[in-house]
Coordinates of all heavy atoms in Angstrom, one line a residue:
T168 N 30.2 213.2 -31.1 CA 31.0 212.2 -31.7 C 30.7 210.8 -31.2 O 30.4 210.6 -30.0 CB 32.5 212.5 -31.5 OG1 32.7 213.9 -31.9 CG2 33.4 211.6 -32.2
I169 N 30.8 209.8 -32.1 CA 30.7 208.4 -31.8 C 32.1 207.8 -32.2 O 32.8 208.2 -33.1 CB 29.7 207.7 -32.7 CG1 28.3 208.4 -32.5 CG2 29.6 206.2 -32.5 CD1 27.3 208.1 -33.6
F170 N 32.5 206.9 -31.3 CA 33.8 206.2 -31.6 C 33.5 204.7 -31.7 O 32.6 204.1 -31.2 CB 34.8 206.4 -30.4 CG 35.3 207.8 -30.3 CD1 34.7 208.7 -29.5 CD2 36.3 208.3 -31.1 CE1 35.1 210.0 -29.4 CE2 36.7 209.6 -31.1 CZ 36.1 210.4 -30.2
A171 N 34.4 204.0 -32.5 CA 34.2 202.5 -32.7 C 35.6 201.9 -32.9 O 36.5 202.5 -33.3 CB 33.3 202.3 -33.9
H172 N 35.6 200.6 -32.5 CA 36.8 199.8 -32.7 C 36.2 198.6 -33.6 O 35.7 197.6 -33.1 CB 37.4 199.3 -31.4 CG 38.7 198.5 -31.6 ND1 38.8 197.2 -31.0 CD2 39.8 198.8 -32.1 CE1 40.0 196.8 -31.3 NE2 40.7 197.8 -32.0
A173 N 36.3 198.8 -34.9 CA 35.7 197.9 -35.8 C 36.3 198.0 -37.2 O 37.1 198.9 -37.4 CB 34.2 198.3 -35.9
P174 N 36.0 197.0 -38.1 CA 36.5 197.2 -39.4 C 35.9 198.4 -40.1 O 34.6 198.6 -40.0 CB 36.0 195.9 -40.1 CG 35.8 194.9 -39.0 CD 35.3 195.8 -37.8
A175 N 36.6 199.2 -40.8 CA 36.1 200.4 -41.4 C 35.0 200.1 -42.4 O 34.0 200.8 -42.5 CB 37.2 201.1 -42.1
D176 N 35.1 199.0 -43.1 CA 34.0 198.6 -44.1 C 32.7 198.4 -43.4 O 31.6 198.7 -44.0 CB 34.4 197.4 -44.9 CG 35.5 197.6 -45.9 OD1 35.9 198.8 -46.1 OD2 36.0 196.6 -46.4
V177 N 32.7 197.8 -42.2 CA 31.4 197.6 -41.5 C 30.8 198.9 -41.1 O 29.6 199.1 -41.3 CB 31.7 196.7 -40.2 CG1 30.5 196.6 -39.3 CG2 32.2 195.3 -40.6
V178 N 31.5 199.8 -40.6 CA 31.0 201.1 -40.1 C 30.6 201.9 -41.4 O 29.5 202.6 -41.4 CB 32.0 201.9 -39.3 CG1 31.4 203.2 -38.8 CG2 32.4 201.0 -38.1
K179 N 31.4 201.9 -42.4 CA 31.0 202.6 -43.6 C 29.7 202.1 -44.2 O 28.8 202.9 -44.6 CB 32.1 202.4 -44.7 CG 31.9 203.1 -46.0 CD 33.1 202.9 -46.9 CE 32.8 203.7 -48.2 NZ 33.9 203.5 -49.2
S180 N 29.5 200.8 -44.2 CA 28.2 200.2 -44.7 C 27.1 200.7 -43.9 O 26.0 201.0 -44.4 CB 28.3 198.7 -44.7 OG 29.2 198.3 -45.7
L181 N 27.3 200.7 -42.5 CA 26.2 201.1 -41.6 C 25.8 202.6 -41.9 O 24.6 202.9 -42.1 CB 26.6 201.0 -40.2 CG 25.7 201.4 -39.1 CD1 24.3 200.7 -39.2 CD2 26.3 201.2 -37.7
I182 N 26.8 203.5 -42.0 CA 26.5 204.9 -42.3 C 25.8 205.0 -43.7 O 24.8 205.8 -43.8 CB 27.8 205.7 -42.3 CG1 28.3 205.8 -40.8 CG2 27.6 207.1 -42.8 CD1 29.7 206.4 -40.7

Side-chain angles (χ1 to χ4, degrees):
T168 307
I169 302 165
F170 293 97
H172 188 234
D176 289 351
V177 170
V178 182
K179 182 178 179 181
S180 294
L181 177 58
I182 291 172

